[in-house]
Amino acid sequence: MSEVLLLSERVVNTIRQGESHFREFKSAVDGKPGQKRARLAKHICQDIGEALVAFANADGGDLLVGVEDDGEVTGVPHNEEDISAMLLAPKTHVHAESALPLAHAVQLRIEDKLLLFFSVAKGTTEVYQLPDGRCVRRKDRETVPEMAKRIISDRQEIASREYDRHFVDGAKLQDLDVGFIQTIADQYLRGLSVERYLQQVGLADYTPGGLRIRMAALLLFGNAIHRFHPRCQVRILKIAGIELKTGENYNVKTDEVVQGNIFSLLVEVWERLRPYLAYKTTFGQDARFEQKFLYPEFACREAIVNAIAHRDYTIGNGIDIFIFDNRIEMKSPGALLSTVSLDELKRLEGAHESRNSLIAKVLKENKFMRELGEGLKRIFEVMRENELDAPQLLTDGNSFSITLPNKSVFSSQEEEWLLMFQQFDLSSLQKKIVVLGMNDAEISPKDIYKAMNSDNRNVYDKEVTGLRTKNLLIETRSNPAATSIARRAKIPKSQVPRFRVRIPGVDASARTKRYPSAPQAATREQADDRTVYLSNLPYNVQREDVQELLHEYGGIERIDIPMDQYTGLARGFGFVVFDSPEAASRAVNECVNKRISGRPVFVKAYVRPGAGGSGLTRRWT
């Protein structure tokens, strides 16, 4: 029993962590510094009832009375009668028909001061209310009003909401990756043992029979997860084309399953997807291989995290990722919870509900997840910043899916037009404004606001001023002239055309009703048959390693190993240009079963993107 986490230690650790979505501090005193006095007990009781109801209606949490917002311990300087009233507040200051899932309501001494500690679990079977019938809910670090119907739990959800919290009979500490947990425990609070960390974050508890482990701990850290959950997995399917076919037309090119605990899935699934999914490589004008991203890396990674963290683990299916030529679909078991609507998600209002509250808590506190409710919002923002169509969300009775298109918001004609402005490093919004000026069209302020999908004047001024400073947006009517036209036409002044786009290198007065075609990129087809593609390279690979591997097949002109902009490591693939097609062919046919740093390296012929296909994806023979 030496590893039992004493309640006082848990409270000290909680104070060190500070307030959060799961922790709240309440002062028991008020007044000026040096003149502090005890707050009225009835007011503190009201605070206790409100905080615990909010936690129970959200994801559970801990409340400390006698601690300031900044973590200073000031204590509870009240008499025994008042303290007894406060300890009864979880019953007396909630609705008469509400019975909170209370775990602790105790008094203890920290720093020689009396504190009150309350802990409540996440409610799953009812909505908790205050004595006057109001509903409140915890949202990040605040307690906010909430409609009861948004909190009501559908009976079908109860099992999935409770799944990660139930204790697993027969599970032992050795069933977990103890070394990895110790690393996380040290980051949480140096010197904390594995057993104490698991208790501190609610993943385990000590009983007279020993340490009992919750399902969340096994899902997060399990060694042989298939023993406890056979479908804790992600299946990745690469589809040839833009729809999945069956029978003799079955068009799945690759089908692989990644299985493991949640932390291993987060790493391995991303490693499997990133090297060949998130970008394509083309041979550019400067005779170098250029990386062009099909999907923003952040959006893909965040979608994976959300699917793994929020899936319904009571459903036997795993997560499916379908990679089509024009989109990625990530399908997660379990429909949306009844407290979150698809419309709310699409409106990006930050709506959230943690089906797996313990899993979400651990991932969030270890920086694998963003603030609750913010991940999906950021995915939409990143797709928009990368000038791609908005993600599509879909839910049915059994699953939730997010689709990331790789289609540009600009048409091919618009992209051709924008090529003439690429030297100016335009922002995404500036490009949308410039597109309005195709075919010498005049542009009104209303057109600009609509193109930017914003009515923010500061945003308008920033983007328009930037274009005018670069002499790309030319004023064709002054403000007074626009006012006069608006009055005569009896229309808002914002609808009066006031700008034209100046084509770089073309005099503003030399207007034409058709814009000239952009110069086409020089092709490098003559190098294709001398180029090979290398995959499964170690992430610490050097050009010298590749040179040593392939020099026996012929002279090498160039070796390109794309690097990750965030980690500085190789992406796992590369390109080699030989001095002759014959040398490239020998490398493809003869370089078999060879390794770099213990990893087998695969050599294939390079096929230029678009050759014999749509050009939307990278194609290799």
Side-chain angles (χ1 to χ4, degrees):
M1 297 293 288
S2 61
E3 289 295 344
V4 174
L5 180 64
L6 298 177
L7 196 56
S8 58
E9 293 182 49
R10 175 176 173 179
V11 170
V12 169
N13 293 340
T14 297
I15 294 173
R16 289 176 179 173
Q17 291 296 311
E19 290 188 308
S20 74
H21 180 75
F22 305 97
R23 295 182 290 272
E24 172 79 359
F25 302 156
K26 288 293 183 184
S27 176
V29 297
D30 58 15
K32 298 179 180 179
Q35 302 177 11
K36 298 288 186 180
R37 60 183 181 182
R39 292 176 58 205
L40 291 176
K42 66 178 184 179
H43 292 164
I44 297 177
C45 288
Q46 291 171 355
D47 289 344
I48 294 171
E50 186 173 271
L52 296 181
V53 166
F55 278 132
N57 282 333
D59 298 309
D62 298 336
L63 170 66
L64 276 169
V65 178
V67 181
E68 306 302 309
D69 290 344
D70 61 1
E72 179 188 0
V73 178
T74 51
V76 182
H78 292 67
N79 58 41
E80 290 185 7
E81 182 180 353
D82 286 344
I83 290 173
S84 296
M86 294 177 204
L87 291 174
L88 288 174
K91 294 182 178 180
T92 60
H93 283 70
V94 301
H95 195 277
E97 296 181 1
S98 291
L100 292 174
L102 195 67
H104 295 287
V106 297
Q107 56 180 313
L108 64 164
R109 287 196 170 272
I110 302 293
E111 298 180 11
D112 203 30
K113 293 184 175 67
L114 180 69
L115 300 183
L116 302 184
F117 175 68
F118 302 88
S119 182
V120 68
K122 173 179 179 174
T124 60
T125 59
E126 62 179 288
V127 175
Y128 300 96
Q129 297 173 282
L130 296 172
D132 59 5
R134 288 184 300 120
C135 289
V136 290
R137 193 175 193 180
R138 187 72 172 178
K139 185 176 183 181
D140 294 327
R141 298 186 183 185
E142 297 181 351
T143 294
V144 298
E146 187 62 280
M147 296 178 64
K149 67 179 182 180
R150 290 173 56 98
I151 305 175
I152 295 175
S153 301
D154 188 47
R155 288 184 177 181
Q156 295 177 350
E157 296 174 4
I158 293 175
S160 67
R161 288 175 182 265
E162 295 180 340
Y163 185 76
D164 73 333
R165 288 184 288 144
H166 77 256
F167 292 105
V168 180
D169 293 334
K172 304 183 184 309
L173 192 62
Q174 52 264 40
D175 292 319
L176 306 177
D177 187 342
V178 175
F180 181 62
I181 299 175
Q182 186 63 69
T183 301
I184 288 181
D186 288 340
Q187 294 174 354
Y188 185 86
L189 190 64
R190 183 161 292 280
L192 200 64
S193 69
V194 168
E195 292 88 342
R196 290 173 181 254
Y197 170 77
L198 292 174
Q199 292 173 79
Q200 177 69 36
V201 297
L203 297 178
D205 203 359
Y206 258 100
T207 67
L211 187 69
R212 297 203 68 193
I213 297 173
R214 298 185 190 272
M215 176 57 78
L218 293 163
L219 290 172
L220 287 162
F221 306 113
N223 282 323
I225 189 60
H226 63 275
R227 290 176 48 207
F228 304 98
H229 195 295
R231 290 301 176 90
C232 188
Q233 66 181 43
V234 177
R235 184 183 181 192
I236 305 170
L237 300 97
K238 179 66 177 74
I239 315 298
I242 61 174
E243 63 177 321
L244 179 61
K245 300 177 181 179
T246 59
E248 62 181 17
N249 296 318
Y250 188 61
N251 58 335
V252 174
K253 297 175 65 176
T254 61
D255 184 348
E256 54 185 326
V257 175
V258 182
Q259 188 175 53
N261 64 49
I262 287 175
F263 274 101
S264 67
L265 284 179
L266 290 172
V267 174
E268 189 172 351
V269 170
W270 177 241
E271 288 299 314
R272 297 281 187 97
L273 286 175
R274 187 177 64 170
Y276 65 93
L277 171 63
Y279 49 82
K280 62 181 178 181
T281 304
T282 58
F283 209 35
Q285 290 180 310
D286 59 354
R288 294 184 61 82
F289 289 102
E290 300 174 349
Q291 297 174 39
K292 295 186 178 180
F293 288 82
L294 288 173
Y295 307 92
E297 290 193 337
F298 175 89
C300 295
R301 192 196 302 263
E302 194 71 14
I304 292 170
V305 172
N306 282 338
I308 293 174
H310 299 310
R311 63 158 288 186
D312 185 345
Y313 282 94
T314 66
I315 296 178
N317 298 330
I319 296 167
D320 292 330
I321 300 179
F322 301 93
I323 308 166
F324 296 94
D325 286 352
N326 64 344
R327 68 193 187 278
I328 305 171
E329 292 182 7
M330 299 189 186
K331 188 174 183 180
S332 181
L336 281 179
L337 296 174
S338 61
T339 50
V340 179
S341 74
L342 195 62
D343 287 340
E344 286 175 319
L345 293 179
K346 290 179 179 179
R347 290 197 298 267
L348 305 179
E349 296 176 345
H352 76 275
E353 174 80 17
S354 298
R355 184 195 308 275
N356 308 303
S357 57
L358 284 177
I359 291 172
K361 176 183 177 181
V362 173
L363 293 179
K364 180 177 178 293
E365 293 189 343
N366 284 281
K367 313 301 182 186
F368 275 80
M369 289 182 66
R370 298 174 66 83
E371 287 295 323
L372 294 173
E374 293 299 311
L376 193 61
K377 185 176 181 180
R378 185 66 182 128
I379 290 174
F380 275 76
E381 291 175 354
V382 170
M383 292 290 284
R384 183 169 61 249
E385 290 168 0
N386 283 268
E387 300 158 11
L388 294 171
D389 278 351
Q392 301 166 12
L393 308 178
L394 180 65
T395 185
D396 55 28
N398 300 306
S399 65
F400 174 80
S401 66
I402 178 170
T403 298
L404 305 179
N406 64 30
K407 181 183 177 183
S408 171
V409 295
F410 301 113
S411 68
S412 58
Q413 191 178 43
E414 290 168 343
E415 289 184 337
E416 185 179 356
W417 166 262
L418 288 169
L419 281 174
M420 293 185 288
F421 301 85
Q422 59 184 349
Q423 61 181 304
F424 295 97
D425 192 26
L426 302 181
S427 70
S428 178
L429 294 180
Q430 287 175 339
K431 290 179 181 179
K432 293 180 179 180
I433 297 171
V434 166
V435 163
L436 295 173
M438 291 174 59
N439 294 321
D440 204 32
E442 283 192 294
I443 307 168
S444 71
K446 183 178 180 180
D447 295 331
I448 294 175
Y449 279 115
K450 184 177 180 181
M452 296 192 306
N453 193 29
S454 171
D455 57 4
N456 189 311
R457 179 56 188 264
N458 291 331
V459 174
Y460 174 93
D461 289 342
K462 176 185 176 182
E463 304 300 341
V464 169
T465 300
L467 288 172
R468 296 192 66 181
T469 301
K470 294 172 182 176
N471 198 28
L472 296 178
L473 195 64
I474 309 301
E475 187 177 61
T476 57
R477 287 183 181 84
S478 65
N479 189 53
T483 301
S484 177
I485 292 174
R487 286 175 179 172
R488 291 198 306 270
K490 296 181 179 181
I491 61 173
K493 187 172 69 172
S494 63
Q495 294 183 12
V496 178
R498 294 188 55 194
F499 305 102
R500 272 197 175 99
V501 172
R502 184 186 70 83
I503 301 172
V506 178
D507 189 278
S509 62
R511 310 259 185 224
T512 176
K513 290 300 179 183
R514 295 187 59 83
Y515 63 88
S517 297
Q520 298 297 314
T523 61
R524 301 292 175 184
E525 297 183 18
Q526 62 272 24
D528 290 353
D529 56 0
R530 296 188 287 112
T531 303
V532 298
Y533 168 67
L534 279 63
S535 62
N536 203 44
L537 294 174
Y539 295 108
N540 61 349
V541 68
Q542 302 295 318
R543 285 184 172 82
E544 293 76 10
D545 300 326
V546 176
Q547 175 77 29
E548 183 178 350
L549 183 77
L550 299 179
H551 75 279
E552 64 183 275
Y553 304 112
I556 296 176
E557 290 187 359
R558 186 171 66 258
I559 298 173
D560 280 343
I561 303 175
M563 310 299 288
D564 186 282
Q565 60 178 320
Y566 301 107
T567 65
L569 300 175
R571 292 183 176 277
F573 70 98
F575 305 89
V576 175
V577 180
F578 286 92
D579 59 2
S580 69
E582 292 75 20
S585 179
R586 283 194 295 271
V588 171
N589 295 324
E590 299 176 19
C591 187
V592 181
N593 297 327
K594 291 195 174 184
R595 298 172 179 265
I596 294 179
S597 298
R599 295 187 67 167
V601 176
F602 305 108
V603 182
K604 298 182 180 180
Y606 170 73
V607 177
R608 181 169 47 86
S614 65
L616 292 175
T617 58
R618 191 176 64 239
R619 295 174 180 270
W620 311 105
T621 58

